[in-house]
Amino acid sequence: MSMAVIGMVAGMALGFAGYFGGFGAFLLVAALGAIGFVVGRFLEGDLEPGDFFRPRDRDRGDRRR
């Protein structure tokens, strides 16, 4: 399934939730969709649990000497 079709389905789901359930339902569907996306990426192996807790490399030239 292409990313365009997935995006269209997600947009339609959010639209239906917003129309029939109001703004609260829209936010709930959006939040659960985001959580499902992260879990799916984790299960596919694209993310590791340490990616959320590991400090990022910051190379901005302000290193301590």
Side-chain angles (χ1 to χ4, degrees), residues 2-61:
S2 72
M3 292 301 288
V5 173
I6 293 172
M8 181 187 67
V9 170
M12 290 174 61
L14 288 172
F16 280 119
Y19 183 77
F20 291 110
F23 188 68
F26 173 81
L27 290 179
L28 179 66
V29 170
L32 291 175
I35 291 169
F37 176 76
V38 170
V39 169
R41 295 286 304 255
F42 175 71
L43 292 176
E44 286 181 353
D46 294 336
L47 289 176
E48 296 180 9
D51 290 342
F52 297 107
F53 305 110
R54 200 174 305 146
R56 297 182 184 199
D57 294 334
R58 295 183 181 165
D59 189 22
R60 297 182 183 161

